[in-house]
Amino acid sequence: MANDASAAFDTLSPAVSKGSLADPFTPPADSSLWRKNFLLGAATASYQIEGAVDEDGRLPSIWDNFSATPGKVLAGDTGAVACDHYHRWEADIDMLASLGLEGYRLSIAWPRVMDAAGRPNRKGLDFYKRLLNRLKEKGITSFVTLYHWDLPQHLEDRGGWLNRDTAYRFADYTDLMSRELAGTVDAWATLNEPWCSAYLGYGNGHHAPGLANDRFATQAMHHLLLAHGLAIPVLRGNDPASQKGIVANIGRGTANSDSAADQRAAHLFEVQHNAWILDPLLKGAYPQDLFELWPGTEPLVLDGDMQTIAAPLDFLGINYYFRTNVASDGAHGFRDVPLEGVERTQMGWEVHPDGLRDLLTGFKKTYHNLPPIYITENGMASDDKVIDGHVDDTQRISFLKRHLAAVDQAIKAGVDVRGYFLWSLMDNFEWAFGYERRFGVVHVDYSTQKRTVKRSAELVTKFLKERKAKV
Ligand code: IFM
């Protein structure tokens, strides 16, 4: 039972530690990942793991309501219990530490820490204080995301991210968190993946709050970015020693043919997925061709908003998962053309590590002020099963190795990448896909809450131990 996570598993399973198992993970000797200051960690998010949705004064979030609505989440799953991390956090942090992971990216549930009148909820705050102090004791670098999609429902009732006022409420929430938690957080990220909040939440309705309107998506995006811009100076004032940034999901779009129309389609795909977020943050302007593509969807932008949004960043968090092959839609947009015969994950997403390298090196050319980068999420879902106490997640091992190699190539090409967080520390509530899709490097049996370390995590641990031992 060496890899039973309910026990202390400082030791690796005999097969891995004795080297009798092939090691298809460890990076080659010339990889920059051997640098001891390259942070290797794992990430989670509050609604996906915590459970305890109505304990200790937590208010309802948009995801409680969305997941309780029939037909919105696969199998009717909800985050009501999830990984029960709210009660098991100590064992989970012990597990993280025993895996040798050096960084932990978590998010704070806004509805857990603040009431509808903006007053602190002490019990909720104490949960995060205890957790962050424990990470500090263990010497684990903490990356804290303030908003990973669980908006308090009372704010959605007043328009959510369609209401400009939500950006100011977010600044108040940031103020409270950074005063209360100053000194315990190494790096703050304002938002996780504003593109997903805006487009999946307000554009196509696949995520909470479930609205579907193109104009809503762009306005929500503007208010999210404004919230970010308002929060950065608040964080600087309250917690000067920490790093401040934001986390963006980025997408690689490649053209289905050499035709000018398909090349333009691939360009527009990347404008819509990447420049739409990175241009306002790093250039203080929205990309022009975005609204030519979708006329009439321009958000309402007030004087001064773009300067607020372009507040200097200490780091940029990048989440990367897959590539999309596109062709012209015959008008002035693009359409997906899924490639045949390519490797895919349980999500159906194409495995394409080069896309990560190409995007990173492209950003370096496009943005002269590109801040230091952390890959704040990368990983894959597979239908993992525990067999004889082990989970042999072969595809994930290969996926991680190839994506880390892509990061190494980007570093060698001059991109300042300082760390990488596995998505995710453990299997969890995968939003509209519920518990079916397993992204963890630790398996969770949801009927018993037993954690089982997957082979991928063991190999990461083995590498980290070897790296630590190197003089
Ligand atoms: O699970 C999500 C996470 O919450 C945000 N980034 C993508 C992951 C996989 O879909």
Side-chain angles (χ1 to χ4, degrees), residues 48 148-149 192-193 319 321 349 377 423 430-431 439:
Q48 294 181 272
H148 198 126
W149 307 353
N192 178 70
E193 302 182 356
N319 295 354
Y321 287 93
W349 296 346
E377 286 180 26
W423 183 269
E430 177 53 24
W431 308 113
F439 273 93

Side-chain angles (χ1 to χ4, degrees), residues 249-260:
N249 55 304
I250 56 161
R252 179 67 171 141
T254 51
N256 194 45
S257 79
D258 290 341
S259 75

Side-chain angles (χ1 to χ4, degrees), residues 204-255:
N204 65 19
H206 293 176
H207 279 187
L211 303 179
N213 177 303
D214 288 347
R215 174 72 179 75
F216 286 0
T218 57
Q219 192 63 60
M221 181 72 114
H222 181 66
H223 290 153
L224 281 151
L225 291 172
L226 180 65
H228 156 81
L230 292 168
I232 289 288
V234 174
L235 292 169
R236 289 209 188 282
N238 290 343
D239 194 9
S242 61
Q243 301 288 298
K244 290 101 191 155
I246 183 171
V247 170
N249 55 304
I250 56 161
R252 179 67 171 141
T254 51

Side-chain angles (χ1 to χ4, degrees), residues 381-412:
S382 48
D383 185 17
D384 300 318
K385 306 262 187 308
V386 184
I387 298 170
D388 295 337
H390 296 288
V391 181
D392 255 318
D393 51 341
T394 323
Q395 191 190 4
R396 181 173 293 103
I397 294 165
S398 161
F399 178 103
L400 297 177
K401 184 183 177 79
R402 287 177 282 162
H403 283 79
L404 283 162
V407 171
D408 176 46
Q409 288 161 12
I411 294 172
K412 288 180 175 144

